[in-house]
Amino acid sequence: MVRNVRFRTLLAGQTLQWVGSSGTTIALVFALLGTQHGGVGAGLVLAARALPVTVLGLLGGVAADRLSRRDVVALTAGASALCQVAVTVVIASGLSNLAVVLVVVLVLGAAEAVGASSMYTFPVEIVEKAQLQSAQAVLRTVRNGVSVIGPGVAGVVVVAHGAAWVTAFNAVAVGASALLLLRLPRIARTESPRTSVLRDLRTGWAEFIATRWLVASVGAFSVALFSWAGAYSVLGPLHVSGRPEGAATWGLVASSLAAGYVGGALVAIRFRPRRPVVWSLLFQAATAVLPLAIVLDVPLAGLAVAAVAAGFCMEQAGVVWAASMQEFIPEDVLGRVSSYDYVASFGLVPLGYALAAPLAGSTSLPVAAGVLALAIALPTILVAATPIARAVERQVVPA
């Protein structure tokens, strides 16, 4: 696989994208926490970035099955770079107008949503089927290695120089990614009668709902990711915002989470469970350890350890799930089916961002974190215990 020039080019292009996005969230959140918009404003901005998933994620799936995946990922990367430039200008202007911030971030989220399915399914065009899980693990190992350093550096830069420096660097890196991805050759696609977008969506939907393990698992993931989004991205920064150099503190926690991601992805290169759906759900349930650490108000070292554990489990869940989709779903509908998975799994994430701060305000931050921890663990464990999830088995072969 490492001898595959196309895979190496894809890896390099994605790496630049990850370099360019690893500190954006921290930069935006702590830039807003320092204004009159506070935690509610930060939650709304995160929600705006995630909201396009519910509308454009499905169209991204159609694009992945009908268009050149190379063109889609390169063009959306270019659009993301331009949005990062706009984010930099908005931050430098003082973030006085929240509506302008929301519009810019909404467009950024739209570019990411359209390109997601093409990026997700790209490996099926350039590596053999038996290597798909290993390919996913390698890609995610590199991404998470970048994420170990990125958030911590971003937090330090925000404290020392301001958030605009972070997003300006991100714009350059993502722009370079777009240029590199354009070097990938166009992969020949099987010609088929051209149908309407609506018919393509109906075909993908029929395949999705006919796959019972997908429907059940995605329902559980949807609740878990809604809860994780609010607990980690909003309640976590609020939890440390009163401490000295809160941005740098949460940057360290984010880097610890990413270190866990790296460990999880490295293990996933070799670990191929016989029942991948069950394992993916149980690993997702275990990510509740981080909001539980917030509930218990553990010191920074404890938060870091919990973040490493949560990251390890989150990455195991993601790699095993991605490989399951690519192994058990027909390639000709994989883009559309994966877009339904993407939209359904992440569709509630904007609400998680928007509702976390009000929930903490109406109760308390520890109570809100505890409720969200329970909502992460309970549905995923229940679905993992069902015969539907256990029925998905594969032959275990050497990675």
Side-chain angles (χ1 to χ4, degrees), residues 82-144:
L82 294 175
C83 291
Q84 294 274 16
V85 172
V87 169
T88 302
V89 173
V90 169
I91 293 175
S93 67
L95 295 167
S96 57
N97 191 326
L98 185 61
V100 173
V101 182
L102 291 172
V103 170
V104 172
V105 174
L106 192 68
V107 176
L108 175 61
E112 293 170 340
V114 171
S117 288
S118 292
M119 189 67 81
Y120 180 78
T121 58
F122 214 129
V124 302
E125 293 186 347
I126 55 180
V127 301
E128 297 177 3
K129 187 172 184 179
Q131 296 178 317
L132 282 171
Q133 179 164 322
S134 295
Q136 286 288 340
V138 169
L139 287 166
R140 295 171 73 123
T141 297
V142 175
R143 181 194 69 184
N144 297 324

Side-chain angles (χ1 to χ4, degrees), residues 37-61:
H37 307 302
V40 172
L44 288 174
V45 166
L46 292 173
R49 187 174 183 179
L51 185 61
V53 168
T54 62
V55 179
L56 298 176
L58 296 180
L59 295 180

Side-chain angles (χ1 to χ4, degrees), residues 157-216:
V157 172
V158 168
V159 171
H161 302 291
W165 284 90
V166 175
T167 54
F169 174 80
N170 292 347
V172 174
V174 177
S177 167
L179 295 176
L180 185 59
L181 289 169
L182 281 173
R183 296 180 59 188
L184 285 167
R186 291 171 180 251
I187 306 300
R189 309 292 295 276
T190 302
E191 292 294 331
S192 59
R194 189 65 74 180
T195 58
S196 68
V197 171
L198 185 59
R199 183 171 180 179
D200 281 353
L201 289 173
R202 286 201 298 264
T203 301
W205 174 249
E207 183 73 29
F208 178 82
I209 62 172
T211 311
R212 297 175 63 196
W213 60 268
L214 260 180
V215 176

Side-chain angles (χ1 to χ4, degrees), residues 6 11 29 48 99 122 135 140-141 145 204 219 234 245 260 301 317 321-322 329 339 366 372 397:
R6 293 175 179 178
L11 177 61
V29 167
F122 214 129
R140 295 171 73 123
T141 297
V234 179
E245 300 184 344
W321 179 257
I329 302 299
S339 71
L372 295 179
V397 296

Side-chain angles (χ1 to χ4, degrees), residues 120 133 136 140 208 211-221 225 268 273 275-281 283-284 314-329 334 337-338 340-342 345-346 383 389 392 394:
Y120 180 78
Q133 179 164 322
Q136 286 288 340
R140 295 171 73 123
F208 178 82
T211 311
R212 297 175 63 196
W213 60 268
L214 260 180
V215 176
S217 301
V218 167
F221 284 133
L225 292 172
R275 291 191 171 94
V277 174
V278 171
W279 276 96
S280 184
L281 287 161
F283 277 124
Q284 187 69 53
M314 182 76 78
E315 193 62 13
Q316 279 284 319
V319 172
V320 174
W321 179 257
S324 299
M325 289 278 292
Q326 292 173 5
E327 289 177 32
F328 293 104
I329 302 299
L334 178 60
V337 173
S338 69
Y340 280 107
D341 166 36
Y342 179 54
S345 295
F346 292 94
V383 174
V392 182
R394 65 185 176 195

